[in-house]
Amino acid sequence: MFSKAQCFDISCFFQSPCHLHTSFTIRFSVSPLETHDSSKKPRNSNVLEIPSKGHKKFRRLEKQNINPSGAIDKLSKNPHDSVDELAKLKSGKSQNHQNKINGVVELEGGRGNFPTKKLHTKCSTKWSSYGGCIPSILLALESISDLDEAFRPWEESLSNKERSIILKEQSSWERALEIFEWFKKKGCYELNVIHYNIMLRVLGKARQWGEVERLWDEMKAKRIAPINSTYGTLIDVYSKGGLREEALVWLQRMNEQGMEPDEVTMGIVLQMYKKAGEFRKAEEFFKVWSLDKSKKGKSTLESHRASTIKVNSGAQLSLSLYTYNTLIDTYGKSGQLQEMSQTFQKMLGEGVIPDTITFNTMIHIYGNAGRLEEVNKLVRKMKELNRDPDTRTYNILISLYAKRDDINLAFSYFAQMKQACLQPDPVSYRTLLYAFSIRQMVFEAEMLISEMDKRGLEMDEFTQSALTRMYIDAGMLEKSWSWFERFHFEGKMTSECYSANIDAYGERGYVNEAEKVFVCCQEKNKIGVLEFNVMIKAYGIGKKYNKACQLFDSMEKLGVLPDRCSYISLIQSLAAADLPHVAKPYLLKMQKAGLVNDCVPYCALISSFAKLGQLELAKSLYKEMINYNVQPDVVLYGVLINASAESGNVTEAMDYVDALKEADLSLNDVICNSLIKLYTKVGYLEEALDTYKLLRSFEKGADVYSSNCIIDLYSKRSMVREAEEIFDDMQERGEVNEFSYAMMLCMYKRVGRLDEAMEIAEKMQELGLLTELLSYNNVLALFAVVGRLKEAVSIFKEMISLEIEPDDATYKSLGFVLVKSGVPKQAVAKLEVERKKDTNSGLQAWVSALTSVVCTDNYGDYDGD
């Protein structure tokens, strides 16, 4: 696939994990979002008018646990917040360098009194790249809390650039703000828009919206004019902080100041829309921005709102690699694969060389869309442009082919990753291990486990439980338990991981092992409602209903309150086991606990009562549900309609139909089938046809049962042509069954078309579709009517041999056969009396009579004595 990368000793670049990604020069920029030239003033900067009215006040968020990211994708696309780097990306080129001796950074002596020394903090490598006194200052600020003391050696000589770096490099917003206020308090330092930009970003990333607003007001009071990147920073931090509407207000303010978003700010807005899933808005904004940049026409915001002009993406504009990547990602995630492809081709046409991020994005999107040919083209293009794949590239390909069940190709990419001197990361192992686990590829999975152990990589909990399932499914129960114990004894398993292992055993019916995991969880004091729920579920699957109830009853005693899932799991298990009486008290407890918010638990019990034929209890529970103001859904109505129809209570069934319609509920296929069954029973052809038409409009279409019901209705009305149309349609779909043929036979016999009826009967025999009593009775009656008496007797004997018990309809047809053979009616009546007195002896008498008269051609000789 890819050209094999040259392997080399990287120890000279990486001395320890804290020095990762240090082979780049860290270039200072005043803001990740700006390129500022002090010699070029922004438009209208002589007279500053910062709007203070007509704008909504921003709400403040106090969510201190959120840790927002910085500039858009800055670590992956513009790793060092350098606008210089972004400018180079525009031409597809970027060069980064760093000098480092023996893996240890040497700091230069500054103007202060701190001696040159080796730093071993995680930031030391980055600090050293600044040169001059900066490393010493940053070290002093890290080790000395008093700012006067920390800054004393450099207090009178700090430049604007050095102050910017100092603010930017603080690890906490509180320290950065403290230093910023110290600079202001000293009065001898110029604090310009660049310093405010940095602080706005620092405070915005920390969600300190009050402080952001305070600094904005301070800028206005001090007449420090915001520049393009100021607004870009504010739009960025507010959108990433989840305040999209506020971010758009900053875009509006920017427009009112007569500023048009530059490319970086435009990219921020695209990212904002993309992350909100508003891909169309992102596309429209970019198109209008492109048009505005090309024609220098109306302001971007006004155009964004009002314009409907369509232009080609990036028409007559030279865009950066970063912008192209954003556009490609936006089009891809919105499903506009053609636009994504066109953007990629335009990028190549303009001489902007795609980077690994570009290829990763497109491979991922085409892979998810199943466009493997495009994936292969991108892989070849990547090689052609000498763009080396990274670990993420291989992970995407591994995941893609594993999902498409090409596990060999997925594993081959894993091997290629190693050949390219790239270390598989936890995602690589997790993806392959899961793929191996669901295929019970134990040997291959254990090979990867061994490799992870050697590298000291930790197994995530999802993979751990997946491998437990693998061993269970492979019939290696002891190995599965050893695997579980390994993590249990390490003491790092969470409550969720224990529950996943309980579920792994419980779902497969290994209740004892599930119990053992439950006990282990208790021993570690990590037991919670989730563990109880999956254990109750396991007892249900294992048909240990008493234990399920006992465990549920013990929850509160152990200080764990049952939740909705606890009740639902128990109630549904009991209902499915035909134990609705046992489940009903738990439903009442659930109702008192205020955990019933829909009809699901009621539906389970009502259905169970109906299945047992206890319709009165089902109706009583339904009324109780209504009294609790719990509204039935279409599924519950289907259960009630079907149960009433089965019991022959048509009036009640129709009442439920009326209630369903009054509730304005949409019919589904289940309810339509129930309605057709009901309408067939009461003979409502028109209503049945309307419902059948609706049923056929659904994705699944009409099933065999409903189609047979319609044939039955047509048959009873002797509507031959209509019945034949339904029957022929069923034959084309391959759905015709024994009942379908039986209904057609009855209809043809009823209307006197005996030839067609005989064809159906012969077809049923040929296809082996004589298995039900109804079918035998229909064929037997037909043979009797047409005078094929021996075949009628043969059908009867076949029934007996298959232990299909004849009913009154069977004997009625057989009596007709005997009478037609010359047997007196009194003799036939005598046989019927004998059958009703003793079924077995009566049956033998009928067989003897039919054999002696019909099968031996002794017509008229039988007198019953």
Side-chain angles (χ1 to χ4, degrees), residues 34 187 210 227 315 319 645 741 848:
E34 66 193 353
I227 58 177
L319 302 175
Y741 279 103
S848 176

Side-chain angles (χ1 to χ4, degrees), residues 461 464-465 468-469 472 480 483-484 493 496-506 513-514 517:
E461 295 183 344
Q464 187 278 327
S465 60
T468 299
R469 293 173 190 269
I472 297 170
S480 73
W483 175 253
F484 163 75
M493 288 180 69
E496 289 76 11
C497 193
Y498 280 108
S499 65
N501 281 270
I502 294 170
D503 203 36
Y505 286 111
E513 285 73 18
V517 178

Side-chain angles (χ1 to χ4, degrees), residues 36 42 44-51 180 184 189-197 200 214-227 230-231 234 257 259:
H36 178 63
N44 302 326
S45 60
N46 292 330
V47 181
L48 173 64
E49 295 182 4
I50 301 179
F180 186 72
K184 287 195 295 185
Y189 299 119
E190 173 197 356
L191 289 176
N192 58 32
V193 67
I194 306 305
H195 302 112
Y196 277 90
N197 283 355
L200 290 171
R214 183 182 67 80
L215 282 191
W216 175 259
D217 292 339
E218 187 176 292
M219 288 177 69
K220 181 176 69 172
K222 293 186 176 182
R223 303 184 67 80
I224 298 175
I227 58 177
T230 309
Y231 288 105
L234 289 165
Q257 282 295 102
M259 293 185 189

Side-chain angles (χ1 to χ4, degrees), residues 89-139:
L89 286 174
K90 190 169 185 179
S91 62
K93 300 176 181 179
S94 179
Q95 294 179 348
N96 301 296
H97 305 282
Q98 181 196 5
N99 294 323
K100 190 173 179 184
I101 301 173
N102 296 326
V104 180
V105 178
E106 296 288 341
L107 297 183
E108 298 179 14
R111 287 168 288 180
N113 297 324
F114 288 93
T116 302
K117 61 184 292 186
K118 295 180 181 178
L119 294 181
H120 295 283
T121 68
K122 64 180 180 180
C123 297
S124 62
T125 304
K126 184 178 180 182
W127 291 354
S128 68
S129 67
Y130 290 121
C133 63
I134 288 295
S136 298
I137 296 173
L138 294 175
L139 178 62

